[in-house]
Structure formats: C-alpha cells, structure tokens
Amino acid sequence: RIACTRLYFSGGDEAEIEELMQLVERLRLRVLLPHLVKDAFIYGFGVAEIVYDKQGLPESLVQLYPKFFDYIREGNDIARDAEGNIQGFIYKPGYAEETEYKPEEVLLIRFYTLGEDCLGISPVEAAFKASWIRLNIEEAVGEAVFRHGFPLYYFRIGSEEPGSPYFDVTPQDIEDAKKLLKDFDTATELYLPWWIEPGVIKGGDVGGIRDLLEYFAGLTLTALELPKAFGVQTTGLGGRAVEEMDFEKTVTAMQESLASQLMEQIFLPYMEKRGFQTRPQLRFVEYS
C-alpha cells in the first residue's frame, strides 16, 4: 500500500520534472521501493547501495540484505568524524569480503527509529509474540478438532448383576465382543447382545477459542496499524469505515515519510549536482 502506488513530482519546471522521472526509471525505483519498505517493516530498515556514474550522478540502486549491514563502529560505538558525523556503514555478507560505504553511497529507508544512532525499529517485532501465541493456539485447536472434535463411541461389556453369566468379564469375552463389533460402521444397524451396552464420549468444545484468536489477531493488527477487518474478525464491523479511514491516514503518513527520505538522500543531491532552477517535490498518489 505504501510503495506500490504511482509516484510523481510537482511544483517545478516541467523539463526538470521529466528528468527526475527518467531518473526514477533508470534507478528502477518503482520495482525496488516495495522491497525496501518490506525490509523496513521486517528488519527495521531497508537499504540499497547507490551506484554513481563518472559524473557523480546516481546510476543504479543495488538492494542490500539488512542482516549484514551496520554502522562502521569503534568497539560498540558508532565511528564518527571530527564534526560528529557518522563515518559510514559496513556490509559483511559472510560469503564475500566486507565493504565500507560512505553515508552518501547508501539509501536508508526506515519508519520507526530512536534517533540517528538507530538503524530502525521493526513494527513486526512488536507483533511477533502475539502472532506466535496465536499460531500455537491455532495448531492446538486443529489438534483438538482432529482428536476430539467428533464423538467417540464405546461399548460397555458385561453386567452389574451378581450371578449373571457376564458379571465376571474374561479376556475371551472381550475378544468375542471385538469380533462382533469390528465390522460395524455408521450404515450398519446394531443388533447387540444384552450384555453389550453402547455409549458416546462427546468431543471437547473448541468453539469458544474463536474470541481468543480474534484477540491475538487484533494485537497483531494494532501493532501494524491495520484495520481489524483485515484479520479474522467477521462480525461487529460497524466501525470498519472509521478504521479504514485511520488506515488510509497511516499509509499517507508513511508515504510522506518515504518521500521525504528519498528526497533527502537521492533527489535533492541530484538537483544540486545538476543545477536545477526549481525544487520539484516527490509525491505518492494517496492510497484510497
């Protein structure tokens, strides 16, 4: 929803806007943005290397795996220059030599942070525990339905009356009963001796679990700021319109943050390098 809608530039010279749109196509930004946004939600940030041509202009973007990406550090502290700015980033994929990047060589997308020293915080992490509990409950309910969701039939063998020939049940009596009952199915009429009494063990009630599943699904959706209608809830959706309006506002806010980050890290430096006379602003078509 955030990155898969159309983007455009406004508030500038038409020729310069056209040049920026060509840059978007050259960088394959429409293809890459959804992946960077997904990384930002899963890992806390999405990152790509900005590859420059001989003129020092962005030529392409190469997505990097966030798991192997970090600040350049001195011990546990972020390495900084004399002016207090970060020295850069390091990429250590394990299957290749580590690479150091200057800050301007990296596109870093993040939505939840704790200041400059934080690469980003994943909203999925807040939803993880609730999701894990819900998955365990779903698995347990499935097992319960499989094992106990249907009645279990049993047959009592023998008689409680003292002096009855079947008051004392022998192993042979049980074997005889098994032979008698083994061919019965649901389509068979039962003709049983007086000393065999049928009964039913009812399965456990798993219907009440639904509210619990909806509760944990709601926690997950709340962490991601999604309407409950996107989860398992199917009743009581009178407030769905309000939730969807809130969701639309959330997506719009995310799009504005994403546009701001792209402007700061790619398009404004490009405009300065190219000597633009105007400053077109990146916009996303609002989700509706």
Side-chain angles (χ1 to χ4, degrees):
R1 299 298 191 187
I2 296 168
C4 293
T5 51
R6 186 169 61 88
L7 57 86
Y8 63 98
F9 290 87
S10 65
D13 178 76
E14 290 186 6
E16 292 178 341
I17 289 177
E18 178 60 28
E19 182 175 340
L20 290 176
M21 291 304 298
Q22 292 176 2
L23 175 62
V24 168
E25 296 302 322
R26 186 163 65 250
L27 298 179
R28 299 180 71 246
L29 205 56
R30 301 177 197 270
V31 176
L32 186 61
L33 275 185
H35 297 287
L36 295 181
V37 171
K38 285 181 182 178
D39 278 352
F41 271 80
I42 295 171
Y43 296 99
F45 66 97
V47 60
E49 175 188 359
I50 305 175
V51 180
Y52 293 91
D53 61 17
K54 295 180 180 179
Q55 286 74 41
L57 298 174
E59 184 178 45
S60 64
L61 293 172
V62 180
Q63 185 180 11
L64 302 177
Y65 188 16
K67 186 176 180 180
F68 302 131
F69 187 84
D70 195 9
Y71 292 105
I72 296 175
R73 296 182 180 273
E74 295 175 347
N76 292 326
D77 297 328
I78 297 173
R80 299 180 181 275
D81 58 22
E83 297 178 355
N85 300 316
I86 64 171
Q87 288 187 11
F89 304 94
I90 190 167
Y91 188 59
K92 299 185 289 186
Y95 52 82
E97 293 184 3
E98 62 182 46
T99 304
E100 291 189 1
Y101 295 104
K102 299 176 182 177
E104 61 270 19
E105 295 175 331
V106 165
L107 171 62
L108 190 63
I109 300 300
R110 49 193 176 177
F111 296 104
Y112 303 95
T113 66
L114 291 174
E116 185 185 6
D117 293 348
C118 177
L119 279 172
I121 300 172
S122 167
V124 175
E125 187 173 357
F128 174 76
K129 189 171 183 179
S131 301
W132 190 256
I133 293 173
R134 178 186 166 193
L135 287 172
N136 285 334
I137 292 175
E138 288 176 344
E139 182 177 359
V141 170
E143 289 288 333
V145 170
F146 179 75
R147 296 175 182 275
H148 306 296
F150 301 96
L152 179 66
Y153 296 95
Y154 69 90
F155 296 88
R156 188 188 303 275
I157 302 173
S159 172
E160 297 179 354
E161 298 180 6
S164 167
Y166 292 101
F167 179 75
D168 294 321
V169 179
T170 65
Q172 185 59 46
D173 293 332
I174 295 177
E175 289 299 320
D176 292 342
K178 286 182 179 180
K179 292 177 182 178
L180 179 67
L181 298 171
K182 70 177 182 178
D183 294 328
F184 286 158
D185 58 37
T186 56
T188 302
E189 294 183 2
L190 294 180
Y191 295 95
L192 300 175
W194 61 268
W195 51 281
I196 298 180
E197 178 184 356
V200 177
I201 300 177
K202 293 184 178 180
D205 181 15
V206 297
I209 300 296
R210 173 174 173 166
D211 291 340
L212 195 57
L213 289 175
E214 288 190 356
Y215 168 74
F216 284 108
L219 291 181
T220 305
L221 298 171
T222 299
L224 299 176
E225 301 185 46
L226 293 171
K228 293 183 180 64
F230 288 10
V232 299
Q233 184 170 339
T234 56
T235 58
L237 293 179
R240 175 171 177 172
V242 176
E243 285 191 344
E244 289 187 346
M245 288 174 61
D246 290 339
F247 179 57
E248 183 175 341
K249 293 176 183 177
T250 297
V251 173
T252 301
M254 294 288 188
Q255 288 177 333
E256 291 176 353
S257 174
L258 180 60
S260 176
Q261 295 178 67
L262 292 171
M263 285 292 296
E264 180 183 350
Q265 299 179 62
I266 292 183
F267 295 112
L268 286 178
Y270 180 86
M271 294 180 204
E272 293 175 1
K273 190 80 174 178
R274 291 284 294 146
F276 275 34
Q277 299 303 309
T278 61
R279 289 293 183 268
Q281 294 297 310
L282 176 63
R283 310 285 186 195
F284 286 91
V285 175
E286 291 186 1
Y287 164 71
S288 176

